[in-house]
Amino acid sequence: PLQELRAGDEVDFPGVTVRVRWPQPELVDGSPNNGSLVLDLEHAGLHALITGDADAAAQQAITLPLAGYAVFKVPHHGSRFQDPAFVHRVRPALALVSVGEGNDYGHPAKNTVQALRREGIPLLRTDEVGAIAVSVRKGQLAFSSR
């Protein structure tokens, strides 16, 4: 059955725990993007933060209990509507931007890419490397692309 999820909810699958970090409906500013699910996926002791299209206002309000994620799916295809402090709080080992090649929106935005580089975060973009698969092998993060 369908279930509406909100911050604080947790769903378990075999080998994976999904913790909902956002939305908090009472804090969503009316923008559909800021109603996006933000999920903390845990597998084999590693965490991935999947951020939907959450823009800067939501990013500022999201509570992150960890000081470092293995994988960070950059919000909203790397749009310019980012909170640079959010990237610093996430402290990922690897950032991913899911974006179409030659898109009309100019995603990912230069300032978003620069913010990741300033933090020393490796970045993979689907417009450059194609589909990206992330896995955990012997407790280590691994990835491949097409």
Side-chain angles (χ1 to χ4, degrees), residues 95-138:
L96 307 175
V97 172
S98 176
V99 62
E101 186 176 358
N103 66 83
D104 294 339
Y105 298 100
H107 296 343
K110 287 180 185 179
N111 64 327
T112 300
V113 172
Q114 289 170 347
L116 292 163
R117 286 188 178 140
R118 275 193 303 275
E119 294 285 334
I121 300 165
L123 172 64
L124 292 176
R125 300 167 40 166
T126 58
D127 63 330
E128 294 178 344
V129 300
I132 302 166
V134 178
S135 60
V136 179
R137 295 183 186 154
K138 296 180 183 177

Side-chain angles (χ1 to χ4, degrees), residues 59-124:
Q59 293 168 26
Q60 291 167 2
I62 294 169
T63 300
L64 297 176
L66 298 177
Y69 283 79
V71 178
F72 173 49
K73 198 291 285 174
V74 178
H76 200 159
H77 315 285
S79 80
R80 62 186 174 92
F81 302 108
Q82 307 292 324
D83 174 24
F86 188 61
V87 171
H88 185 73
R89 289 193 300 133
V90 175
R91 295 183 188 169
L94 175 66
L96 307 175
V97 172
S98 176
V99 62
E101 186 176 358
N103 66 83
D104 294 339
Y105 298 100
H107 296 343
K110 287 180 185 179
N111 64 327
T112 300
V113 172
Q114 289 170 347
L116 292 163
R117 286 188 178 140
R118 275 193 303 275
E119 294 285 334
I121 300 165
L123 172 64
L124 292 176

Side-chain angles (χ1 to χ4, degrees), residues 43-46 70 132-145:
H43 172 70
L46 296 176
I132 302 166
V134 178
S135 60
V136 179
R137 295 183 186 154
K138 296 180 183 177
Q140 297 294 314
L141 186 66
F143 69 90
S144 60
S145 64

